[in-house]
Amino acid sequence: MDGAAQFTFDDDTPDGKLVLSGSLLVSTIGELDKQLRDLPHSIALIDLSRVEDIDTVGAWVTCRLAAQHDAAVTGANSQAQRLLDAVDGTSGPAETAPPRVPAWKRVPAGVGEQVFAAKSGVFGVVGFFGHILIGFGSLIRHPSRFPMRALVRQMELVGVAALPIIGLMSFLIGIVIAQQGAVQLSQFGAETLTVNLVGRITLRELGVLMTAIMVAGRSGSAFAAQIGTMKLTEEVDAMRTIGISPIEKLVIPRILACTFMMVLLGFYASVVGIIGGAVVGQFALGIPFFTFLERIQEVVPLHDVWVGLVKAPVFGLIVALAGCYHGMQVQGNSEEVGKRTTMAVVSAIFAVIVLDAFFAVFFSEIGWG
């Protein structure tokens, strides 16, 4: 084919002369490059006098071949020589990545960077919470601007739509607690105390805690993804341009919905968990279903119910705040949406567990332990 990249050997040259011909272009040099990589001959000279056209790829192949065989290049015209000079030396054994810092230096440096980033994150969250308080104050002064439809919609998404999955999870957790508790208590002949175990741990701790974790994974991630996508597509900026506050229309309805619905979801999860324990009592412990429920009223103090109800709105606020904050921090590209969504879920679950530990200590100190 005319113009195709080819090579021949000049047998009259004792040291080995390779003659390249045709067009050494990126579109034509592919097959020639494969052949040149497996040459059985040694080459002392590469002749480019028959080359019709050459580009950067052709010059790079030529330079690589010359370096491989320690050969000289001759016959290059002015264009080819400029390209050869430009790419010469680019195939050296240079490091493609910086040397790895030793672990005893790398680990403290990484910890320091994370601590510094955490400080910036705390400032950002405090500032974001301040914007929310300002938004609440503005809505109090102008009640007609309150986004009631958005609030009702978010309450439906956060609360009503979550009832099946939270109910199933709580029912299974109640079954597990009752079954495992009965196995351990049977060693002391105290299977009847399974009622106390299920009632107190469900109403006081696991009902609200597991609900908060589920809401963080379900609704907190949705908040971050929805607001983050709106931020990425400049819908948030468009709202500000036409005089609509994103805090009032996007953030506050989600925070209120999550805070209010966590109270109902937490209590609902606790009740369903107790029902799951009662089912185990009916079929595995010989405790009638309604007798189990009546015993719950006798052995569970009322303040255990209040402990769960007090923690629920705080957990809901933390989950919604984390989701909305990370959603509003999205910028740059779509990858940032996934990153911020993950950060929202992880930070919300971490904060909920830490706060639950503080609540446990606090209620123990005031006599509600």
Side-chain angles (χ1 to χ4, degrees):
M1 182 174 63
D2 294 338
Q6 300 175 354
F7 74 93
T8 57
F9 282 101
D10 188 350
D11 297 330
D12 297 333
T13 303
D15 293 334
K17 178 181 179 182
L18 180 71
V19 180
L20 296 178
S21 59
S23 299
L24 302 185
L25 303 175
V26 65
S27 58
T28 60
I29 204 172
E31 187 62 32
L32 175 66
D33 182 41
K34 296 179 182 178
Q35 298 173 5
L36 293 177
R37 291 176 183 270
D38 302 322
L39 284 178
H41 302 75
S42 60
I43 304 170
L45 190 65
I46 300 175
D47 185 7
L48 301 182
S49 59
R50 300 183 187 177
V51 172
E52 300 172 3
D53 199 4
I54 188 171
D55 62 6
T56 305
V57 175
W60 181 82
V61 171
T62 303
C63 289
R64 189 202 65 206
L65 185 64
Q68 180 182 352
H69 293 273
D70 194 19
V73 179
T74 186
N77 56 30
S78 57
Q79 176 194 0
Q81 191 60 50
R82 284 196 303 271
L83 292 175
L84 291 171
D85 294 340
V87 302
D88 187 28
T90 58
S91 300
E95 293 289 342
T96 58
R100 189 171 178 82
V101 180
W104 62 273
K105 289 183 178 180
R106 186 174 68 252
V107 174
V111 172
E113 292 174 359
Q114 292 297 325
V115 171
F116 187 79
K119 180 193 73 171
S120 302
V122 170
F123 289 164
V125 172
V126 172
F128 183 70
F129 191 69
H131 284 296
I132 294 174
L133 293 180
I134 294 173
F136 271 115
S138 178
L139 291 177
I140 292 174
R141 292 194 306 270
H142 306 90
S144 60
R145 285 167 30 191
F146 189 83
M148 182 58 68
R149 291 185 179 180
L151 175 61
V152 173
R153 174 60 175 166
Q154 292 302 323
M155 292 177 69
E156 178 188 2
L157 294 176
V158 174
V160 178
L163 290 177
I165 183 63
I166 290 180
L168 177 61
M169 176 201 68
S170 302
F171 183 78
L172 296 177
I173 288 177
I175 290 177
V176 171
I177 294 174
Q179 194 273 332
Q180 293 297 318
V183 169
Q184 299 303 318
L185 292 172
S186 64
Q187 302 177 28
F188 309 98
E191 296 94 334
T192 56
L193 294 180
T194 303
V195 180
N196 305 52
L197 176 66
V198 173
R200 299 207 65 180
I201 199 172
T202 303
L203 285 168
R204 187 183 183 91
E205 292 292 339
L206 284 186
V208 176
L209 181 61
M210 294 306 297
T211 301
I213 293 174
M214 287 293 295
V215 171
R218 184 180 177 278
S219 300
S221 60
F223 293 168
Q226 291 165 359
I227 297 178
T229 303
M230 295 181 69
K231 187 82 182 296
L232 200 63
T233 56
E234 300 182 352
E235 294 178 63
V236 174
D237 295 334
M239 293 176 67
R240 291 194 179 102
T241 301
I242 62 178
I244 298 176
S245 171
I247 297 295
E248 295 179 9
K249 300 301 182 181
L250 299 179
V251 176
I252 289 179
R254 287 170 167 81
I255 288 181
L256 290 177
C258 198
T259 303
F260 293 154
M261 297 309 295
M262 262 299 301
V263 179
L264 302 179
L265 289 175
F267 184 75
Y268 165 75
S270 300
V271 171
V272 175
I274 290 174
I275 293 174
V279 170
V280 173
Q282 172 78 41
F283 294 102
L285 305 178
I287 303 176
F289 184 85
F290 291 103
T291 302
F292 191 102
L293 298 182
E294 290 175 359
R295 283 282 296 163
I296 290 288
Q297 300 179 31
E298 300 173 4
V299 301
V300 178
L302 184 61
H303 63 71
D304 279 357
V305 180
W306 287 111
V307 167
L309 293 179
V310 168
K311 291 193 293 186
V314 179
F315 290 170
L317 175 64
I318 294 298
V319 169
L321 188 64
C324 294
Y325 169 74
H326 285 289
M328 293 295 287
Q329 302 306 306
V330 170
Q331 56 184 350
N333 51 49
S334 57
E335 183 180 359
E336 189 77 5
V337 177
K339 177 182 175 182
R340 286 291 178 175
T341 301
T342 303
M343 292 175 65
V345 175
V346 173
S347 59
I349 293 176
F350 176 78
V352 162
I353 294 175
V354 171
L355 279 175
D356 188 62
F358 279 111
F359 274 123
V361 175
F362 172 75
F363 287 123
S364 296
E365 290 295 327
I366 67 173
W368 283 13

